[in-house]
């Protein structure tokens, strides 16, 4: 059974109006556990909409989305909250850290929503920060960190819940290429440990580092190819 | 617990904005409390004035058309009031006054209210004898040159000595002090304590003519006022013929009830002003809360995207709004009481605080507005799809 399955998913904005946009126009997609998938497309291709739906940040207009075999499309708000909390970790282009909280508090925030005790929260936040290599900044406010460091914090936040799926929307978009490369390396490591990684990008060079590239154009999947999967999994 | 910490963090993080939110509540609550306290202060001031002046008095003025055909009613009226109306009254006195300069040694007191009174003048004027004696029948009959002095004169002329037996002069006429009165109005020059009580039979000496045409009847209980008024009207109808003169009776309590009703209508107006102040404060709270939540929709989006349940977000905003509103309310109460004390002292010399009901009411009203308008947009934002909340910038 596949981890993620989209069947004829549509996302339509302003239906019936002149300004109608079919952001997703009948997408079928299957992703298996442990894959490293890049979804690539130009701006306006619908790739971000696809990620929002895959991550339960948004709901499709029509079609069915199965996660672990369960139809997400019909779920209540509360069930979607539970999925976001326990199944998916997000990394955004703009980091989306909360400025009022310091680094470790930001990382520990998702654990609050899982009713993890304060000591355990701190322990796991520090563990995640160690994993991304900035445990020394734990007490700092995000605004005092560089972009690369902030993105590491965001990754730490995404992984500290030990969610099986990691979704990244242009995670390197705001970073210089060297830092971007480090972030990608981090994601590769996580994938090697069993996390399913879905990476959204417009950059072919970055997409090329994934095992599988799904090309999206005008809301449709136009190409779905497996690249050097064998090399990536020695 | 978690939400509480987050709420406190967020309040502290945005100190300026938090203060602005509270400001609306502070102003609203303060305005209401101060207005209410000032009305109460005015109220107390007026009541105190009338209490000092003495309540339940009937003022009588007899106007003779031809003074040469006048009759001295004093003894007869005193007999009638004390015997026939004795159950209902405390006393009666002639109550003619003049303003005079009183001197003793090198000291002088200006604008002293000199009362030409009878033996019951103190009772009728709401004064109490302190030292010595009052004016007695003997003094009245013999027109003794004696007087009883108010506490302002006692303090001015005899700060360190016994005033009894000393002599003061009223417009140049020497009077022996036989008694002193207790202070009842603060002992200032412009107070009711700047007074002197002397036998009315000295009228020829002090005024140069017989002039006893005014009387004060002190009634025991306010509910008997009408009955006494009626009895007095009947009495004067018999004693003062229409052809010789006329008599005017005035109910002293009417003046007080006039002031009281004036005060009541003023409280209504001020109450309206206070309500508007509270409403404007409420609108201020509403605005800042709306802005706050709108600008934090993104934060709500972030939290939702990492799995925050809707109720958790709502709880956090609820706690924030509740803390801000109650802090603002408490600050408003503190400021309101402080201003009420300062202004009350400055304007009326009386410190009166707003009642507990008003205090709690104003507090609850602004807290309710703060929480309601803090919560409503938060509930709305928390109900958004995370992606829509994230998109807001």
């Amino acid at each position: 059974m596949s981890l993620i399955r989209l069947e004829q998913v549509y996302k339509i904005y302003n239906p019936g109006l002149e300004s109608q946009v079919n952001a997703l126009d009948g997408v079928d997609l299957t992703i298996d556990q442990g894959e490293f998938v890049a979804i690539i497309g130009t701006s306006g291709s619908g790739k971000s909409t696809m990620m929002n739906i895959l991550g339960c940040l948004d709901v499709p207009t029509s079609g069915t989305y199965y996660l672990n075999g369960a139809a997400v499309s019909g779920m209540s708000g509360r069930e979607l909250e539970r999925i976001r909390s326990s199944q998916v970790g997000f990394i955004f282009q703009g980091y989306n850290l909360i400025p009022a909280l310091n680094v470790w508090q930001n990382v520990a925030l998702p654990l609050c929503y899982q009713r993890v005790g304060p000591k355990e929260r701190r322990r796991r936040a520090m563990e995640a920060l160690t994993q991304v290599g900035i445990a020394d900044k734990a007490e700092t406010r995000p605004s005092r960190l560089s972009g690369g460091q902030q993105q590491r914090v965001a990754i730490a936040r995404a992984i500290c819940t030990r969610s099986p799926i990691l979704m990244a929307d242009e995670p390197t978009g705001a970073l210089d290429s060297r830092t971007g490369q480090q972030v990608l390396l981090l994601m590769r490591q996580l994938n090697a440990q069993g996390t399913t990684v879905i990476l959204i990008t417009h950059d072919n060079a970055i997409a090329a580092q994934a095992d599988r590239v799904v090309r999206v154009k005008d809301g449709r999947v136009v190409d779905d190819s497996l690249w050097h999967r064998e090399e990536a999994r020695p | 617990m978690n939400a509480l910490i987050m709420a406190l963090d967020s309040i502290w993080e945005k100190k300026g904005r938090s203060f602005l939110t509270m400001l609306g509540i502070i102003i609203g609550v303060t305005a209401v409390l101060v207005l209410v306290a000032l009305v109460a202060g005015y109220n107390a001031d007026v009541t105190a004035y009338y209490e000092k002046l003495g309540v339940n008095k009937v003022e009588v003025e007899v106007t003779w058309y031809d003074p040469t055909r006048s009759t001295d009613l004093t003894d007869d009226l005193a007999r009638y009031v004390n015997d026939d109306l004795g159950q209902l009254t405390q006393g009666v006195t002639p109550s003619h006054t003049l303003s005079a300069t009183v001197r003793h040694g090198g000291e002088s007191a200006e604008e002293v209210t000199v009362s030409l009174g009878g033996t019951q003048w103190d009772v009728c004027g709401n004064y109490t004898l302190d030292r010595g004696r009052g004016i007695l029948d003997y003094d009245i009959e013999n027109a003794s040159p004696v007087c009883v002095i108010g506490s302002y004169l006692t303090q001015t002329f005899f700060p360190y000595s016994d005033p009894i037996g000393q002599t003061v002069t009223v417009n140049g006429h020497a009077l022996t002090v036989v008694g002193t009165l207790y202070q009842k109005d603060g002992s200032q020059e412009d107070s009711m304590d700047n007074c002197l009580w002397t036998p009315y039979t000295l009228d020829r000496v002090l005024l140069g003519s017989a002039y006893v045409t005014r009387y004060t009847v002190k009634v025991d209980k306010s509910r008997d006022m009408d009955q006494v008024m009626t009895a007095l009207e009947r009495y004067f109808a018999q004693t003062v013929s229409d052809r010789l003169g006329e008599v005017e009776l005035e109910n002293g309590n009417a003046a007080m009830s006039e002031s009281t009703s004036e005060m009541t209508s003023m409280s209504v107006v001020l109450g309206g002003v206070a309500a508007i102040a509270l409403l404007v404060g409420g609108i201020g709270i509403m605005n800042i809360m709306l802005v706050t939540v709108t600008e934090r929709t993104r934060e709500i989006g972030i939290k939702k995207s990492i799995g925050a349940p809707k109720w958790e977000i709502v709880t956090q905003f609820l706690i924030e709004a509740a803390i801000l509103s109650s802090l603002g309310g408490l600050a408003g109460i503190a400021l309101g009481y402080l201003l009420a004390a300062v202004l009350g002292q400055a304007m009326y010399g009386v410190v009166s605080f707003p009642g507990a009901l008003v205090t709690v009411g104003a507090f609850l009203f602004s807290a309710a507005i703060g929480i309601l308008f803090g919560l409503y947009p938060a509930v709305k934002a928390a109900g958004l799809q995370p992606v829509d909340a994230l998109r807001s910038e």
Side-chain angles (χ1 to χ4, degrees):
Chain A
M1 188 180 62
S2 47
L3 177 65
I4 286 171
R5 190 147 56 88
L6 297 181
E7 283 182 0
Q8 282 301 299
V9 167
Y10 288 84
K11 179 71 187 181
I12 299 168
Y13 292 107
N14 305 332
L17 299 178
E18 219 172 297
S19 55
Q20 173 170 336
V21 176
N22 293 11
L24 292 183
D25 200 14
V27 170
D28 293 296
L29 183 71
T30 307
I31 296 172
D32 287 326
Q33 175 103 43
E35 281 196 273
F36 193 131
V37 186
I39 296 174
I40 187 167
T42 53
S43 163
S45 60
K47 60 184 192 304
S48 285
T49 307
M50 193 187 288
M51 187 201 81
N52 290 335
I53 285 172
L54 288 175
C56 300
L57 297 181
D58 207 353
V59 289
T61 312
S62 67
T64 324
Y65 170 22
Y66 296 97
L67 182 66
N68 281 322
V72 172
S73 332
M75 284 184 180
S76 69
R78 188 158 292 194
E79 286 168 307
L80 291 175
E81 281 164 7
R82 217 163 291 141
I83 289 177
R84 287 195 293 268
S85 170
S86 63
Q87 299 292 310
V88 190
F90 279 103
I91 303 166
F92 300 94
Q93 179 175 6
Y95 325 128
N96 279 350
L97 299 173
I98 292 174
L101 303 177
N102 68 27
V103 163
W104 83 261
Q105 287 167 332
N106 260 292
V107 173
L109 194 58
L111 298 174
C112 298
Y113 305 132
Q114 294 183 353
R115 306 269 148 250
V116 175
K119 277 210 179 118
E120 177 68 4
R121 282 207 299 263
R122 166 128 202 164
R123 196 188 64 75
R124 278 168 65 177
M126 293 311 293
E127 196 181 278
L129 284 170
T130 310
Q131 204 175 340
V132 299
I134 48 166
D136 55 323
K137 305 281 188 201
E139 305 290 341
T140 318
R141 287 292 163 104
S143 54
R144 303 180 67 94
L145 299 180
S146 71
Q149 287 170 323
Q150 289 193 51
Q151 195 59 294
R152 283 159 186 264
V153 176
I155 293 172
R157 181 178 65 185
I159 63 178
C160 78
T161 56
R162 297 166 187 161
S163 300
I165 306 170
L166 183 66
M167 294 201 183
D169 188 0
E170 301 275 13
T172 58
L175 305 177
D176 62 76
S177 59
R178 205 171 68 87
T179 344
Q181 207 49 52
Q182 287 170 348
V183 166
L184 281 171
L185 190 65
L186 211 51
M187 291 169 63
R188 276 233 78 90
Q189 287 167 358
L190 291 169
N191 179 244
Q193 289 160 14
T195 307
T196 308
V197 178
I198 301 171
L199 172 70
I200 313 288
T201 183
H202 66 278
D203 187 339
N204 280 319
I206 288 170
Q209 303 191 35
D211 301 338
R212 174 182 166 193
V213 175
V214 175
R215 193 171 293 276
V216 182
K217 194 181 176 193
D218 298 332
R220 292 200 178 99
V221 176
V222 293
D223 186 24
D224 188 349
S225 50
L226 294 178
W227 284 358
H228 48 71
R229 173 174 266 188
E230 302 316 314
E231 297 94 297
R233 288 182 182 283
Chain B
M1 195 54 214
N2 187 8
L4 177 68
I5 292 168
M6 266 189 218
L8 286 174
D9 265 351
S10 149
I11 288 171
W12 188 245
E13 182 66 21
K14 300 276 168 67
K15 287 180 275 289
R17 192 188 59 198
S18 303
F19 175 71
L20 281 180
T21 311
M22 282 194 281
L23 199 61
I25 303 176
I26 294 173
I27 290 173
V29 172
T30 304
V32 170
L33 296 188
V34 168
L35 284 174
V36 168
L38 288 186
V39 170
Y42 178 75
N43 199 332
D45 189 48
V46 169
T47 310
Y49 172 78
Y50 279 103
E51 266 167 14
K52 280 183 269 185
L53 199 62
V55 291
N56 303 340
K57 296 202 285 194
V58 180
E59 303 290 347
V60 181
E61 180 157 15
V62 184
T63 311
W64 300 101
Y65 298 142
D66 180 358
T68 59
R69 295 179 68 189
S70 66
T71 324
D72 185 0
L73 294 171
T74 313
D75 291 340
D76 195 50
L77 179 64
R79 210 172 300 121
Y80 176 71
V81 170
N82 288 321
D83 296 349
D84 294 19
L85 300 177
Q87 297 290 316
L88 306 174
T89 61
Q90 292 180 5
V92 57
T93 181
S95 56
H96 192 83
T97 61
L98 63 137
S99 180
T101 302
V102 179
R103 289 194 168 82
H104 170 78
E107 302 283 337
S108 71
E110 306 290 332
E111 289 178 22
V112 181
T113 305
V114 174
S115 296
L116 300 163
T119 55
Q120 293 169 323
W121 176 87
D122 51 343
V123 175
C124 297
N126 206 28
Y127 287 93
T128 314
L129 207 57
D130 180 7
R131 276 175 286 181
R133 61 174 178 87
I135 301 296
L136 307 176
D137 286 328
Y138 173 88
D139 301 318
I140 307 276
E141 279 161 30
N142 296 294
S144 317
V146 295
C147 66
V148 176
I149 55 175
S151 63
Y152 174 69
L153 295 184
T154 310
Q155 285 174 17
T156 308
F157 297 149
F158 313 106
Y160 308 114
S161 58
D162 184 3
I164 309 297
Q166 305 267 12
T167 304
V168 296
T169 59
V170 176
N171 288 349
H173 302 282
L175 300 175
T176 307
V177 177
V178 295
T180 64
L181 299 169
Y182 271 116
Q183 173 184 332
K184 73 163 185 175
D185 191 23
S187 266
Q188 297 301 307
E189 188 177 358
D190 58 354
S191 74
M192 297 179 207
D193 290 322
N194 186 13
C195 68
L196 184 145
W197 169 26
T198 187
Y200 70 88
T201 41
L202 288 178
D203 51 0
R204 287 177 192 284
V205 179
L206 294 173
L207 295 168
S209 68
Y211 208 77
V212 181
T213 56
R214 283 184 199 183
Y215 302 93
T216 299
V217 178
K218 173 80 170 176
V219 180
D220 195 21
K221 298 197 169 60
S222 61
R223 61 182 146 91
D224 296 328
M225 286 293 280
D226 290 341
Q227 198 184 338
V228 172
M229 291 276 287
T230 314
L232 286 174
E233 272 165 26
R234 216 175 308 126
Y235 166 81
F236 282 111
Q238 286 165 9
T239 47
V240 181
S241 141
D242 311 347
R243 287 178 291 106
L244 296 179
E246 58 186 338
V247 178
E248 223 174 287
L249 296 178
E250 194 197 354
N251 183 335
N253 287 359
M256 185 167 83
S257 61
E258 209 170 278
S259 287
T260 313
S261 71
E262 186 185 304
M263 188 164 61
T264 311
S265 56
M266 198 172 83
S267 338
V268 170
V269 172
L270 284 181
V273 172
I276 292 171
L278 203 54
L279 197 68
V280 170
I283 291 170
I285 300 167
M286 189 176 93
N287 270 330
I288 199 89
M289 282 294 189
L290 281 171
V291 169
T292 300
V293 179
T294 310
E295 96 183 12
R296 289 173 66 185
T297 303
R298 189 177 169 79
E299 178 189 326
I300 292 175
I302 297 174
K303 287 183 173 173
K304 286 206 69 152
S305 73
I306 59 172
K310 179 176 174 178
W311 67 265
E312 179 109 27
I313 291 170
V314 172
T315 307
Q316 187 201 327
F317 274 84
L318 173 67
I319 292 173
E320 257 189 72
I323 290 174
L324 284 179
S325 304
S326 5
L327 281 182
L330 290 177
I333 289 174
L335 194 63
Y337 273 61
L338 187 73
L339 275 179
V342 171
L343 290 178
Q345 185 65 45
M347 289 167 74
Y348 306 121
V350 191
V351 175
S352 65
F353 291 117
L357 194 71
V358 178
T359 308
V360 172
F363 176 81
L364 287 183
F365 180 79
S366 27
I369 287 188
I371 291 170
L372 193 69
F373 288 106
L375 203 52
Y376 166 71
V379 169
K380 240 177 70 178
L384 288 176
Q385 288 297 337
V387 67
D388 293 323
L390 273 175
R391 212 172 274 144
S392 98
E393 200 66 68

